[in-house]
Amino acid sequence: MAFGLLKYGLSRRRPVKRFLSARPELRPSYDVAIIGGGGHGLATAYYLAAKHGVRNVAVFDKGWLGGGNTGRNTAIIRSNYLTPEGVAFYEESMRLYRGLSEELDFNILYSERGHFTLAHSDAAMRTSRWRAEVNKHLGVDSEVVGREELARLVPLLNMSDEVRHPVLGALYHPPGALARHDAVAWAYAGRAQELGVEIHTETEVTGINVENGRVTGLETTRGPVACGKAMQAVAGLSGQVARLAGFTLPIRTVPLQACVSLPLKPFLDPIIVSGSLHVYISQSDRGELVMGGATDPYPRYQTSSTLDFMEGLMAHILELFPFMSDVPVLRQWAGMTDMTPDFAPVMGLTPVENYYIDSGWGTWGFKATPVCGNRMAELIATGRVPELIQSFHLDRFRDFSLMGEKGAASVGH
Amino acid sequence: MKIMPCPLNGPRNIQEFICAGPVEPHPDPSRCSDDEWAEFVWLEENLAGVVREWWCHAATSYWFIAERNTVTDEILATYPADRVFSERVDFAPLALPEPPAPPEPPKAPAPPPPAEAAADTPAGDAPSDDALPLAPKETGG
Ligand SMILES: Cc1cc2nc3c(=O)[nH]c(=O)nc-3n(C[C@H](O)[C@H](O)[C@H](O)COP(=O)(O)OP(=O)(O)OC[C@H]3O[C@@H](n4cnc5c(N)ncnc54)[C@H](O)[C@@H]3O)c2cc1C
């Protein structure tokens, strides 16, 4: 890579290579059609082509590449979840993330910062200990730290008792990381395309054809295509697309908002989350403070920003970092999240044969992008549900075997 | 700030309210199948359009029904629950071996409110979803 750079620098012609090729015409049929060109859909296409040799694949997105929640999230990556199934699953994702820049030959700016989940009550301390034990048992670097150690590790954090909810300690997850979210989508798209995958942006899927209980093709705004297999990975629009295929999901569409401040000099290395205060904050490579909280209080198909959110968020952020009262907010935005009742995803088979689902990613799915792509590709290529994702099946809402991940996912994305 | 017109307390900041999900027929847990019960408890219509929901004003514990558009975030109508439910549904007697006749289906909505009340309603498209027997518009007061 270094030599390539040198050669490029010394070259007179400065060759400019287009990273993604232009959108092709639709072919009449594909082996696999993927609905949704966010990180999850693109990663699935990449692993199908790279690991399973399935290359006659098309990805459809109604908008632009990664314009959904993939391009709107706050990029927190961690594996310190609460259920053993969740921990094992997210741990595989972190392993894949660590090697991703290398594997895809594209710098996704993966940066390990350390992740603190603050506890402000005895109940929260108890959940932290519980999580730490589950985590350690499964080989995840995770431990509870008390007030003194926390004050040492995060010197600017307000440890005063003179606040509404004093900080008692935290769950500390040293490998917690951030990455450049757009780059993840572009990198998967670029490599998938090189392997023969077609990416059709500005192509909305408007119908799903099912014959004798089996998917046979899709209707799109640019015409129909036949397909052997299909998968949906459309986040906030999961319920709408599943309805096209004829089934209903345990999912509500709820907006989630976030914002960034003006860039400041680097002062906050780790990611700080408070489940009790419903806020989290990290500092991006550009110096902006990236902040967010819990989902909006009621379901909506909207990505508008509200003053209510900003006021609630700032009241709590200022309790943690009082000196930030002078820092202006630069941008505010929202995405539509697909929330499940047990804060765990819905992945795998559906009532329609050869039609697969990757949804219920709510506010926590960016960190799962590589593992979802990897395991959904395995499922589509082999027809067998990988054990790692078995417990996230849709039928758990029929036999009441829910996951109970709320304690680790409700705010800390 | 988004305002919710509460039928009891008048226009209030929407942060004072809790949204408790769609008004839908409640299956009898002692008689429906496990699948029907699971569907009622977990599956969501998650409609993009006009929905009819239970809302609660937290400070006064007052429950009422609101119709709103989930795409435009407009509140089209709010009214007391007795506009839809004429009597209390009591499941205890239904669990007995010889249950009484099932409760009456929801009563038809009451006649439209006076013109002044209707004029307070936030402007917007008329509710259009055929699946919902929509009540006439009304705001708080
Ligand atoms: C503000 C915010 C902060 C977040 N923070 C974090 C975080 O810190 N860490 C974390 O792990 N997760 C976080 N998340 C969650 C995460 O962003 C998502 O779970 C994840 O990005 C989902 O990826 P996806 O590829 O499944 O969906 P998306 O990226 O949303 O992609 C779905 C795509 O489907 C397309 N689509 C929809 N309907 C159709 C159709 N009918 N036809 C064709 N295309 C269609 C859309 O245009 C969209 O591009 C956050 C989310 C938000 C909104």
Side-chain angles (χ1 to χ4, degrees):
Chain A
M1 205 170 166
F3 280 119
L5 199 60
L6 192 66
K7 213 168 126 195
Y8 180 84
L10 297 175
S11 151
R12 290 259 183 85
R13 287 185 293 124
R14 296 280 159 86
V16 181
K17 185 177 143 226
R18 191 178 160 140
F19 183 68
L20 291 169
S21 41
R23 189 182 77 183
E25 290 302 313
L26 281 185
R27 273 192 260 159
S29 121
Y30 297 93
D31 291 343
V32 180
I34 294 175
I35 312 168
H40 287 222
L42 295 165
T44 306
Y46 165 75
Y47 290 110
L48 271 172
K51 284 180 78 169
H52 304 278
V54 182
R55 296 179 179 202
N56 183 15
V57 176
V59 179
F60 300 97
D61 198 289
K62 71 184 175 65
W64 64 94
L65 208 63
N69 291 352
T70 298
R72 295 163 191 269
N73 70 76
T74 45
I76 297 172
I77 299 169
R78 62 186 177 90
S79 62
N80 60 348
Y81 275 74
L82 182 61
T83 63
E85 297 86 350
V87 175
F89 176 78
Y90 292 107
E91 184 60 11
E92 173 166 309
S93 211
M94 285 184 84
R95 273 203 302 277
L96 290 167
Y97 256 127
R98 283 186 206 111
L100 210 56
S101 294
E102 195 86 342
E103 175 174 355
L104 303 177
D105 192 17
F106 195 100
N107 192 352
I108 62 157
L109 303 180
Y110 189 77
S111 98
E112 291 192 356
R113 303 290 198 87
H115 180 284
F116 291 89
T117 312
L118 306 182
H120 308 255
S121 65
D122 289 344
M125 280 305 280
R126 204 159 47 238
T127 310
S128 300
R129 274 185 227 111
W130 177 6
R131 276 169 71 180
E133 292 312 314
V134 173
N135 295 164
K136 280 188 269 191
H137 180 65
L138 293 162
V140 170
D141 192 356
S142 173
E143 60 182 311
V144 174
V145 293
R147 281 174 61 87
E148 294 71 36
E149 199 169 358
L150 186 59
R152 189 177 61 76
L153 291 164
V154 193
L156 285 170
L157 184 63
N158 183 13
M159 299 300 293
S160 162
D161 283 338
E162 311 279 295
V163 291
R164 174 92 170 74
H165 300 285
V167 177
L168 303 182
L171 179 67
Y172 178 35
H173 180 43
L178 300 171
R180 173 136 193 234
H181 45 25
D182 300 317
V184 172
W186 298 335
Y188 275 123
R191 290 299 156 267
Q193 235 181 21
E194 277 176 7
L195 296 169
V197 170
E198 285 184 7
I199 297 173
H200 295 276
T201 46
E202 292 178 64
T203 310
E204 181 171 352
V205 173
T206 52
I208 296 171
N209 302 323
V210 177
E211 279 167 31
N212 301 324
R214 174 192 283 252
V215 65
T216 56
L218 306 177
E219 303 292 331
T220 80
T221 44
R222 284 167 61 223
V225 292
C227 65
K229 296 177 176 182
M231 176 185 103
Q232 68 167 78
V234 294
L237 294 171
S238 293
Q240 305 292 310
V241 173
R243 189 170 291 135
L244 298 177
F247 58 95
T248 312
L249 295 173
I251 285 178
R252 293 184 310 144
T253 299
V254 191
L256 176 67
Q257 305 188 39
C259 66
V260 295
S261 73
L262 278 184
L264 303 178
K265 284 189 176 172
F267 72 92
L268 185 66
D269 197 36
I271 304 151
I272 309 290
V273 179
S274 166
S276 321
L277 300 185
H278 291 290
V279 293
Y280 61 89
I281 178 168
S282 70
Q283 192 168 23
S284 76
D285 295 321
R286 275 186 297 215
E288 297 162 342
L289 294 165
V290 181
M291 294 166 278
T295 52
D296 280 7
Y298 57 97
R300 259 156 56 220
Y301 284 89
Q302 267 196 329
T303 53
S304 48
S305 302
T306 66
L307 179 63
D308 285 357
F309 164 78
M310 191 55 91
E311 281 180 341
L313 178 71
M314 289 311 161
H316 287 140
I317 290 280
L318 292 181
E319 198 160 286
L320 299 177
F321 296 101
F323 66 91
M324 274 180 56
S325 58
D326 290 337
V327 180
V329 167
L330 188 64
R331 288 193 306 278
Q332 187 184 354
W333 69 91
M336 293 187 287
T337 64
D338 36 340
M339 299 296 289
T340 55
D342 59 357
F343 288 75
V346 172
M347 296 176 78
L349 306 175
T350 70
V352 177
E353 209 180 321
N354 288 353
Y355 187 82
Y356 306 93
I357 191 163
D358 173 67
S359 72
W361 282 108
T363 65
W364 54 87
F366 173 67
K367 70 181 67 61
T369 305
V371 67
C372 283
N374 189 29
R375 297 302 180 163
M376 289 306 295
E378 181 184 338
L379 168 60
I380 294 169
T382 67
R384 281 189 306 275
V385 181
E387 207 184 318
L388 197 67
I389 66 169
Q390 177 64 47
S391 42
F392 303 129
H393 62 122
L394 175 57
D395 277 346
R396 73 177 185 274
F397 296 95
R398 291 238 168 263
D399 53 24
F400 290 83
S401 52
L402 272 63
M403 291 298 298
E405 198 60 271
K406 185 171 183 179
S410 59
V411 175
H413 308 333
Chain B
M1 184 186 297
K2 182 96 187 149
I3 300 295
M4 167 63 87
C6 173
L8 181 68
N9 302 287
R12 306 288 304 176
N13 182 351
I14 202 160
Q15 284 182 325
E16 294 177 13
F17 297 83
I18 297 159
C19 172
V23 177
E24 51 188 353
H26 194 305
D28 172 4
S30 59
R31 288 200 235 172
C32 69
S33 69
D34 287 354
D35 271 3
E36 279 166 340
W37 185 247
E39 193 172 320
F40 170 70
V41 176
W42 302 124
L43 298 193
E44 302 280 355
E45 275 307 309
N46 197 22
L47 219 65
V50 177
V51 294
R52 190 164 68 171
E53 294 170 319
W54 286 109
W55 282 71
C56 175
H57 182 246
T60 55
S61 284
Y62 175 70
W63 287 88
F64 61 97
I65 294 173
E67 285 167 15
R68 66 179 184 97
N69 188 320
T70 59
V71 179
T72 61
D73 197 21
E74 282 167 305
I75 296 162
L76 304 164
T78 58
Y79 41 87
D82 63 8
R83 282 282 189 90
V84 176
F85 296 93
S86 53
E87 61 190 60
R88 196 182 164 83
V89 180
D90 187 2
F91 285 108
L94 299 180
L96 297 171
E98 280 301 332
E104 276 194 356
K107 218 171 78 176
E116 310 89 78
D120 283 348
T121 311
D125 290 342
S128 57
D129 196 292
D130 295 334
L132 287 167
L134 294 168
K137 291 179 179 185
E138 191 193 88
T139 53

